[in-house]
Amino acid sequence: VPIISVRFAFKGGSTQDPEGKGGISTLMTGLFDEGAGDLDSDAFQERLDDVGADMSFNAGRDTVYGQMRMLAEEREGAFDLLRMALTAPRFDDAPVDRIRAQIQTRIQRDMRDPNALGRDAFARALYGDHPYARRADGTAQSLASVTPDDLRQLHGRTFARSNISIAFVGAIDAGTLKRELDRVFGDL
């Protein structure tokens, strides 16, 4: 099958969210496909569609995860987009506000969900004051305090070559993979 899939993980995650900025890791990971380099959100999404790639990111408690799946024949363009997303995310105001509103809506929904409330109470009882007791999404108030500069600082602390694990599978040979790894992750 002429497909390439890459998954990667950076040490970090929601337990590393600064005090008063709970949910910043979740917000940051929602923004990597919302503009990077010289491409705004719409242009970045169009380019992803043009190369037929699927990209996603999410923040776990101890790790920030990312993945991309692409057609082998569109490898160069897809890897360019991944490189831009990892090394030059834009964190423009409009996408930040939109993704923040989506997370705040999810938080409000969870505040009416008995299962979510039970998970939160269990985590607080089990972990006490430890960061594992906090919600990965933060609170509506903590998310409201996050600025694009806060996101840039978190990105700079988290996204580094010394902090990553990477796995590739698919239609790519070892020599080409080495060159692509250097090109995509080399500027971190």
Side-chain angles (χ1 to χ4, degrees):
V1 178
I3 293 176
I4 301 169
S5 183
V6 56
R7 292 185 186 249
F8 46 91
F10 291 91
K11 294 175 189 171
S14 66
T15 59
Q16 303 301 310
D17 288 355
E19 189 67 35
K21 303 286 183 181
I24 188 173
S25 293
T26 301
L27 177 58
M28 179 182 68
T29 59
L31 292 163
F32 285 115
D33 63 350
E34 294 289 338
D38 61 347
L39 302 176
D40 68 8
S41 181
D42 291 337
F44 193 89
Q45 290 294 323
E46 285 177 29
R47 289 271 301 273
L48 266 177
D49 287 344
D50 290 347
V51 299
D54 175 43
M55 176 190 300
S56 67
F57 294 83
N58 70 306
R61 293 219 179 265
D62 297 310
T63 310
V64 173
Y65 299 97
Q67 72 89 27
M68 183 175 225
R69 193 175 69 182
M70 69 204 76
L71 296 172
E73 66 190 29
E74 298 290 343
R75 175 189 82 234
E76 191 169 317
F79 280 140
D80 279 342
L81 291 170
L82 181 58
R83 179 188 50 75
M84 283 193 299
L86 291 171
T87 61
R90 291 177 56 128
F91 303 126
D92 291 333
D93 289 337
V96 168
D97 291 344
R98 183 170 35 81
I99 301 301
R100 180 191 343 255
Q102 289 173 3
I103 297 169
Q104 287 173 326
T105 298
R106 184 169 60 224
I107 291 168
Q108 290 172 355
R109 183 193 66 224
D110 284 352
M111 293 298 102
R112 294 185 304 272
D113 179 3
N115 287 328
L117 294 171
R119 280 192 309 272
D120 291 347
F122 181 75
R124 283 190 306 277
L126 185 62
Y127 297 115
D129 292 334
H130 190 277
Y132 280 1
R134 298 188 308 225
R135 293 178 48 87
D137 287 346
T139 66
Q141 296 79 16
S142 66
L143 277 174
S145 73
V146 174
T147 67
D149 283 338
D150 294 331
L151 293 163
R152 287 181 195 91
Q153 290 174 12
L154 177 63
H155 174 262
R157 283 192 313 268
T158 305
F159 283 67
R161 284 187 313 226
S162 62
N163 202 27
I164 190 170
S165 299
I166 307 168
F168 274 84
V169 66
I172 190 166
D173 63 81
T176 304
L177 175 58
K178 182 182 182 321
R179 286 189 303 277
E180 294 296 357
L181 283 170
D182 288 342
R183 186 166 68 95
V184 172
F185 298 98
D187 288 340
L188 292 175

